[in-house]
């Protein structure tokens, strides 16, 4: 990892004056409150990013210290054989819907495949309809346009960044972890402090408002830590300077500190007893696996155990749960929504269908073990048959051909498919049946909406080119030869202007020009953007296909045309040099009705 993309600075002291006005003065806040008799439990879900099962000191990490997560671990029922997707957006979609990624539409982190189908309710939709207040603060990564944003998927209050992180093409230009610019219910604002601190402080302030109003709440805290880029205040990185990955471990140390503050706040406010607190991470390990991977093979993106096995801690002191400790048996992230509905006495809509099962009976006192079942883990930019893991008891079938027995081979070193043809056949048959159900949905592409009354103009980015990976601002800065199509749905009839840009509007740069390097506040750096000899721009949508000249000083090239309401079509753009050679697509298109 380039040192230029890591933090190297002194201790940061964040000023929270802007946010303090939203919270009650400490002196006016009761020191402790007992929950009302029969009060519905509150729910907090904390999900870290790119933390692996081995990135906890309670799981044996020899370097990383996570005392507060260790405390939560010791107080929680722990799902020992718990599984997510090997990539973040598919896991997020499964968490929020209880539905398999290939059914709910979120099969990838980008490439036009990161949107939840409109007819599937989210956890926020369901809890909100039952009288809960709902909020999310952090990394959303389930779509960057209407109607896919958190406030359009059931969250009353939301502050979020776009795309995978601050260096995503979809996020705000030159955004930063320190004093970053995030969207508050769709409006861009600046928030003082380090990003993980911001999410937790916003969360605790919002919790206090709900407590003061006497309202049950559902809080979703998906952090962007410890995802690349590895920028972190020096005081968190310093203890790990003797080895790699120091900045990554520092980000987790900061996250652990924030978990500790949350636990203290819940205790001091009297909310801890009647609050269900869930902690998990969104995929297998990444930066930390070379240091320690808990004996597992594989990492993020892979179908070996290290790619999708995750920690899951569930704590509810007043909930009559079984004693804190490990619960073996296969469980998955899709189980959490139906489980929380049962624990909270919330009824889903009649139309809701879950691939997960409720584990409420597993979590209760005198509980049984999880049911004996077979699970399928699959995601993908373009999902293909057998590109998956099938899980049954301690057996793992990887990509339809490699069979492993974790009971005798936890590191998945020996493929025993030849030795156990009956188990191989049984697990393949289960997968074949599952695939027949989901295959028709694989290429049922969810379009991006344009011209909606609640979002006009709309900014599209190359992150949503169908089945093309162009989700990192480094690609734009380097001017890589990439292009693809957006699948769009025209929400309203009208005359539309399409503004093609190489750089986003906030960069304020000419299409053919380069841009300066970016030096983020913690010492990281993004290299200067390369100039491209763009001389022509082309737009094709439906039957419209036009090419125009580009002047060197142009920042945006506009095309205007009428579109009918309800039409679903493909949109593509091109930039060419003077000789007609394609350079790239327009990485950004601004569409106004």
């Amino acid at each position: 990892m380039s040192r230029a993309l890591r933090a190297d600075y002194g201790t940061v002291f964040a000023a929270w004056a802007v946010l303090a006005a939203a919270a009650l003065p400490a002196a006016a806040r009761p020191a402790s409150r007992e929950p009302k008799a029969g009060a519905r439990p509150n729910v907090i879900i904390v999900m870290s990013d790119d933390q692996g099962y081995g990135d906890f000191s309670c799981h044996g990490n020899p370097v990383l210290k996570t005392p507060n997560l260790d405390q939560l671990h010791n107080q929680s029922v722990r799902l020992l054989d718990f599984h997510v997707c090997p990539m973040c957006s598919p896991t997020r979609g499964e968490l929020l819907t209880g539905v398999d990624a290939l059914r709910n539409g979120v099969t990838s982190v980008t490439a036009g495949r990161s949107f939840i189908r409109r007819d599937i309710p989210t956890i926020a939709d369901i809890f909100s309809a039952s009288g809960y207040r709902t909020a999310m603060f952090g990394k959303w990564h389930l779509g960057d346009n209407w109607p896919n944003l958190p406030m359009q998927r059931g969250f009353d209050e939301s502050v979020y960044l776009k795309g995978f992180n601050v260096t995503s093409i979809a996020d705000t230009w030159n955004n930063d972890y320190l004093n970053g610019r995030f969207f508050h219910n769709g409006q861009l604002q600046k928030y003082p402090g380090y990003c993980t601190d911001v999410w937790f402080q916003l969360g605790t302030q919002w919790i206090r408002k709900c407590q003061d109003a006497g309202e049950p709440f559902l809080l979703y805290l998906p952090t962007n830590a410890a995802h690349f880029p590895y920028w972190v205040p020096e005081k968190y990185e310093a203890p790990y300077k003797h080895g790699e990955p120091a900045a990554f471990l520092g980000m987790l140390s900061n996250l652990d500190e924030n978990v500790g503050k949350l636990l203290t706040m819940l205790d001091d406010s009297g909310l801890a007893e009647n609050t269900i607190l869930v902690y998990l991470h969104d995929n297998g390990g990444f930066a930390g696996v070379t240091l320690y991977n808990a004996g597992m093979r594989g990492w993020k993106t892979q179908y070996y155990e290290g790619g999708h096995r995750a920690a899951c801690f569930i704590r509810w002191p007043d909930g009559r749960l079984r004693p804190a400790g490990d619960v073996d048996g296969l469980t998955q992230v899709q189980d959490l929504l139906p489980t929380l509905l049962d624990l909270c006495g919330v009824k889903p809509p009649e139309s809701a269908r879950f691939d997960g099962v409720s584990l409420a009976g597993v979590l209760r006192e005198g509980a049984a073990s999880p049911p004996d079942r077979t699970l399928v883990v699959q995601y993908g930019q373009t999902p293909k048959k057998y590109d998956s893991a099938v899980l049954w008891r301690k057996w793992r079938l990887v990509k339809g051909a490699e069979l492993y027995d974790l009971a005798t081979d936890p590191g998945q070193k020996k493929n025993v498919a030849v030795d156990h043809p009956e188990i191989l056949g049984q697990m393949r048959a289960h997968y074949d049946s599952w695939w027949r159900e989901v295959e028709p949905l694989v290429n049922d592409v969810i379009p991006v909406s344009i011209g909606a009354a609640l979002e006009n103009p709309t900014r599209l980015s190359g992150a949503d080119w169908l089945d093309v990976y162009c989700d990192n601002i480094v690609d734009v800065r380097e001017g890589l030869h990439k292009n693809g199509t957006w699948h769009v749905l025209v929400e309203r009839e009208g005359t539309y202007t399409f503004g093609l840009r190489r750089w986003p509007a906030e960069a304020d740069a000419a299409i053919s020009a380069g841009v300066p390097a970016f030096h983020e506040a913690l010492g990281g750096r993004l290299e200067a953007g390369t100039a491209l000899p763009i001389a022509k721009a082309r737009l094709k949508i439906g039957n419209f296909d036009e090419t125009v000249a580009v002047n060197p000083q142009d920042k945006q090239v506009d095309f205007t045309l009428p579109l009918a309401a309800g039409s679903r079509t493909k949109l593509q753009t091109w930039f060419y040099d003077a000789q007609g050679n394609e350079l790239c697509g327009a990485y950004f298109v601004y569409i106004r009705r």
Side-chain angles (χ1 to χ4, degrees):
M1 190 60 58
S2 168
R3 176 63 198 172
L5 287 173
R6 295 175 56 226
D8 186 12
Y9 84 123
T11 304
V12 174
F13 295 94
W16 277 89
V18 174
L19 299 175
L24 284 175
R29 207 175 294 126
S32 177
R33 291 182 179 175
E34 293 298 323
K36 297 177 182 177
R40 290 188 289 178
N42 306 302
V43 178
I44 301 173
I45 303 172
V46 180
M47 183 164 67
S48 62
D49 194 355
D50 275 8
Q51 183 177 22
Y53 188 89
D55 296 324
F56 298 78
S57 49
C58 56
H59 287 168
N61 193 290
V63 175
L64 177 64
K65 304 302 180 186
T66 55
N68 297 296
L69 286 169
D70 294 356
Q71 175 188 339
L72 179 60
H73 166 276
N74 294 337
Q75 297 171 345
S76 298
V77 178
R78 288 126 27 200
L79 302 180
L80 192 60
D81 205 354
F82 178 79
H83 296 267
V84 296
C85 267
M87 286 281 272
C88 61
S89 292
T91 294
R92 292 160 200 273
E94 291 179 338
L95 170 68
L96 296 189
T97 66
V99 178
D100 291 347
L102 268 61
R103 286 192 228 273
N104 70 40
V106 186
T107 67
S108 182
V109 297
T110 182
R113 295 182 179 272
S114 61
F115 321 131
I116 296 172
R117 298 189 186 279
R118 294 191 188 187
D119 60 344
I120 297 179
T122 70
I123 189 172
D125 291 322
I126 299 170
F127 272 80
S128 181
S130 187
Y132 274 72
R133 303 302 295 168
T134 58
M136 73 81 54
F137 304 110
K139 173 176 171 173
W140 176 241
H141 209 189
L142 292 169
D144 304 308
N145 301 96
W146 188 91
N148 301 311
L149 294 166
M151 61 279 192
Q152 294 139 11
R153 300 310 310 239
F155 289 99
D156 304 321
E157 181 75 2
S158 60
V159 178
Y160 56 94
L161 51 77
K162 290 188 175 183
F164 70 80
N165 210 344
V166 296
T167 54
S168 170
I169 183 176
D171 196 39
T172 305
W173 177 251
N174 286 352
N175 204 3
D176 207 333
Y177 282 172
L178 186 65
N179 304 326
R181 291 160 291 159
F182 310 125
F183 290 88
H184 176 214
N185 293 341
Q187 299 301 311
L188 193 63
Q189 297 183 17
K190 190 168 185 175
Y191 289 85
Y194 185 66
C195 55
T196 308
D197 301 338
V198 170
W199 313 135
F200 277 84
Q201 293 215 29
L202 289 171
T204 53
Q205 289 169 5
W206 181 81
I207 287 171
R208 290 181 180 118
K209 289 182 180 180
C210 294
Q211 183 183 27
D212 293 334
E215 296 175 309
F217 60 81
L218 168 77
L219 173 62
Y220 176 42
L221 275 176
T223 70
N224 53 320
H227 193 289
F228 175 87
Y230 304 127
W231 300 337
V232 67
E234 173 69 16
K235 71 174 183 178
Y236 299 105
E237 182 179 2
Y240 306 108
K241 285 282 193 174
H242 56 278
E244 292 290 345
F248 170 80
L249 298 178
M251 291 174 76
L252 288 174
S253 182
N254 170 265
L255 173 60
D256 180 79
E257 179 180 276
N258 277 288
V259 169
K261 291 177 181 178
L262 175 64
L263 297 177
T264 299
M265 176 266 172
L266 292 174
D267 287 338
D268 292 347
S269 65
L271 289 169
E273 294 299 308
N274 201 35
T275 296
I276 303 170
L277 176 56
V278 180
Y279 187 93
L280 71 158
H281 46 98
D282 64 351
N283 44 242
F286 186 57
V289 297
T290 55
L291 172 64
Y292 179 73
N293 202 24
M296 296 183 293
R297 177 180 177 181
W299 51 83
K300 175 181 176 178
T301 75
Q302 297 187 330
Y303 286 112
Y304 299 108
E305 201 77 350
H308 50 82
R309 184 183 171 204
C312 184
F313 308 154
I314 302 173
R315 189 189 80 167
W316 183 17
D318 204 31
R320 296 187 177 88
L321 300 186
R322 66 197 299 164
D326 295 335
V327 176
D328 207 353
L330 282 175
T331 55
Q332 60 181 347
V333 66
Q334 295 94 307
D335 297 335
L336 291 178
L337 174 51
T339 299
L340 291 170
L341 294 179
D342 274 2
L343 293 178
C344 296
V346 172
K347 291 186 177 180
E350 291 292 330
S351 61
R353 297 290 182 270
F354 303 124
D355 289 312
V357 300
S358 173
L359 301 174
V362 174
L363 297 174
R364 298 284 192 189
E365 287 179 336
S369 298
D372 184 6
R373 56 184 175 150
T374 304
L375 306 178
V376 176
V377 174
Q378 187 164 3
Y379 76 107
Q381 187 165 294
T382 310
K384 293 180 172 58
K385 190 174 184 180
Y386 297 127
D387 188 21
S388 63
V390 182
L391 289 55
W392 177 61
R393 298 183 181 176
K394 295 299 181 184
W395 295 95
R396 302 292 185 264
L397 177 62
V398 177
K399 297 198 172 185
E402 301 173 35
L403 184 67
Y404 300 96
D405 179 9
L406 299 187
T408 59
D409 178 25
Q412 294 178 285
K413 296 178 180 178
K414 183 180 180 182
N415 178 3
V416 294
V418 174
D419 302 324
H420 298 277
E422 71 290 349
I423 293 175
L424 175 68
Q426 169 192 322
M427 295 178 76
R428 280 179 64 104
H430 177 91
Y431 177 85
D432 289 343
S433 176
W434 179 87
W435 178 259
R436 282 193 293 271
E437 293 181 8
V438 301
E439 185 179 18
L441 298 172
V442 166
N443 289 311
D444 181 18
V445 178
I446 302 167
V448 178
S449 289
I450 62 174
L454 294 178
E455 185 179 78
N456 189 34
T458 293
R459 186 188 89 155
L460 303 185
S461 77
D464 290 328
W465 284 334
L466 186 66
D467 297 341
V468 175
Y469 183 87
C470 185
D471 195 20
N472 198 312
I473 202 63
V474 173
D475 292 349
V476 178
R477 284 177 169 270
E478 293 179 358
L480 295 187
H481 183 183
K482 290 189 175 184
N483 202 347
T485 60
W486 291 278
H487 283 231
V488 299
L489 173 65
V490 181
E491 294 284 347
R492 296 185 294 163
E493 180 180 3
T495 300
Y496 285 75
T497 297
F498 292 77
L500 278 56
R501 286 179 171 265
R502 188 273 176 93
W503 307 109
E506 61 267 33
D508 196 32
I511 286 176
S512 57
V515 295
F518 170 60
H519 300 267
E520 62 89 32
L522 306 182
R525 172 188 169 91
L526 297 175
E527 298 299 330
T530 305
L532 292 177
I534 296 171
K536 298 176 185 178
R538 177 185 171 194
L539 170 74
K540 179 174 173 33
I541 179 170
N543 295 323
F544 180 92
D545 189 346
E546 187 173 299
T547 302
V548 300
V550 176
N551 295 317
Q553 70 274 16
D554 288 342
K555 299 176 181 177
Q556 176 172 308
V557 179
D558 290 338
F559 297 82
T560 300
L561 65 147
L563 293 174
S567 60
R568 182 169 168 174
T569 187
K570 296 179 182 179
L571 164 65
Q572 189 167 7
T573 63
W574 293 262
F575 285 142
Y576 301 101
D577 65 16
Q579 289 73 44
N581 300 306
E582 181 184 347
L583 298 171
C584 59
Y587 299 117
F588 303 92
V589 177
Y590 292 77
I591 305 170
R592 181 183 294 275
R593 176 186 178 274

